[in-house]
C-alpha cells in the first residue's frame, strides 16, 4: 500500500528525525480535524456518549490525537507513557459508559479509520513520492498500543469492580467527569513540557 525508499533502512537519529518530520507535521497540522471527525463518528455510534459522558468526549479525542505526532519523532520514548495512560483512561471511562470490550476496541479503531481516510483525501506525500514507510509503521504501532491499552483499562476497571463486590462499575458522575478531565489536561501539559525541553536542548 505504501512505498518504501532505500533511506527507510537508515536508522541513524538524524536521518530518522528528518524523515519523520513530513508525516508528523502533516498529522500535527490536521490534529484538530482528525479529533473532530473521530468525535463525530463516536457520537454517531450510539447513545453511550450522552449525558455527563459527553463532557469528556472532545477532551479525549483532542488529547489522544495530540500525542500522535510526537510518537513519530525521537520524542516517542517520552510520549508513549502519556499515550498509554490516556488510552487506559479512555478504556476505564468506556466501562463506566456500559460498553463491552469489543465496543471499546471498535471505538478506538475508528481513530485509525479517520486518519487513513484523511491520508487519502489529503496525501502527506507529493505526487510521485512515497510515504515514509518507517513513520507509517510507527503510526500504526502507536494506534495498536492505544487499542490494546484502552482494552486493558476497560478490563481492569471491570475486574476491580467485581473484586470489590459491586459487579459493575458505577456510572460517571460530575465528580468523576472532573477527575477525568483533569487527568487528560495533566497528560497534555506533561507532553508540552517534554516538547519545550526538547526544543531547548536540541543542537542548533
Amino acid at each position: 500500500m505504501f512505498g518504501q525508499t532505500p533511506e527507510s533502512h537508515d536508522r541513524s537519529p538524524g536521518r530518522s528525525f528528518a524523515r519523520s518530520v513530513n508525516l508528523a507535521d502533516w498529522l500535527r497540522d490536521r490534529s484538530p480535524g482528525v479529533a473532530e471527525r473521530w468525535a463525530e463518528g463516536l457520537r454517531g455510534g450510539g447513545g453511550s456518549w450522552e449525558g455527563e459522558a459527553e463532557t469528556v468526549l472532545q477532551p479525549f479525542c483532542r488529547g489522544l490525537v495530540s500525542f500522535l505526532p510526537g510518537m513519530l519523532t525521537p520524542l516517542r520514548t517520552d510520549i508513549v507513557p502519556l499515550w498509554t495512560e490516556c488510552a487506559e483512561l479512555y478504556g476505564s471511562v468506556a466501562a463506566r459508559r456500559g460498553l463491552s470490550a469489543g465496543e471499546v476496541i471498535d471505538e478506538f479503531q475508528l481513530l485509525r479509520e479517520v486518519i487513513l481516510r484523511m491520508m487519502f483525501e489529503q496525501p502527506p506525500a507529493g505526487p510521485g513520492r512515497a510515504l515514509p514507510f518507517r513513520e507509517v509503521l510507527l503510526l500504526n504501532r502507536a494506534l495498536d498500543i492505544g487499542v490494546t491499552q484502552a482494552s486493558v483499562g476497560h478490563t481492569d476497571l471491570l475486574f476491580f469492580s467485581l473484586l470489590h463486590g459491586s459487579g459493575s462499575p458505577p456510572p460517571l458522575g460530575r465528580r468523576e467527569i472532573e477527575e477525568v478531565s483533569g487527568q487528560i489536561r495533566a497528560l497534555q501539559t506533561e507532553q508540552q513540557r517534554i516538547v519545550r525541553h526538547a526544543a531547548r536542548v536540541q543542537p542548533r
Side-chain angles (χ1 to χ4, degrees):
M1 178 179 175
F2 302 110
Q4 182 175 11
T5 62
E7 290 81 9
S8 298
H9 297 290
D10 184 350
R11 300 303 180 94
S12 63
R15 295 294 295 277
S16 176
F17 179 77
R19 290 196 314 278
S20 70
V21 167
N22 180 43
L23 189 54
D25 284 356
W26 178 91
L27 187 54
R28 186 177 295 107
D29 291 342
R30 289 159 181 78
S31 288
V34 171
E36 185 58 37
R37 285 197 189 188
W38 188 23
E40 289 177 3
L42 292 175
R43 286 193 193 95
S48 64
W49 282 108
E50 294 178 347
E52 293 285 354
E54 188 173 6
T55 308
V56 291
L57 174 58
Q58 286 284 3
F60 257 131
C61 291
R62 291 172 181 168
L64 283 162
V65 172
S66 74
F67 295 127
L68 286 175
M71 300 278 278
L72 310 183
T73 73
L75 296 179
R76 183 176 187 274
T77 302
D78 297 311
I79 302 298
V80 165
L82 307 178
W83 167 254
T84 297
E85 186 174 344
C86 200
E88 287 183 8
L89 183 61
Y90 183 95
S92 67
V93 168
R96 288 178 177 268
R97 289 163 47 219
L99 267 62
S100 68
E103 289 173 321
V104 177
I105 292 173
D106 287 343
E107 283 198 346
F108 220 96
Q109 289 283 21
L110 180 60
L111 174 57
R112 190 194 309 268
E113 180 180 326
V114 168
I115 293 173
L116 287 174
R117 284 181 179 275
M118 193 168 286
M119 288 176 75
F120 276 97
E121 293 170 5
Q122 306 169 31
R129 295 178 57 193
L131 283 171
F133 188 67
R134 181 171 181 270
E135 282 64 49
V136 172
L137 288 180
L138 287 175
L139 177 58
N140 271 293
R141 288 171 187 167
L143 293 168
D144 287 341
I145 291 171
V147 170
T148 299
Q149 296 307 131
S151 179
V152 168
H154 178 276
T155 302
D156 283 354
L157 186 59
L158 289 180
F159 177 76
F160 180 82
S161 300
L162 182 63
L163 191 65
H164 286 75
S166 60
S168 60
L172 289 164
R174 185 177 299 275
R175 188 180 70 176
E176 289 79 14
I177 290 294
E178 291 176 354
E179 290 176 354
V180 169
S181 298
Q183 287 177 273
I184 297 172
R185 287 195 300 270
L187 292 170
Q188 288 183 284
T189 299
E190 177 61 14
Q191 177 188 221
Q192 292 164 5
R193 185 197 66 78
I194 291 170
V195 172
R196 287 196 301 268
H197 175 73
R200 286 197 300 267
V201 301
Q202 184 177 350
R204 297 186 179 184

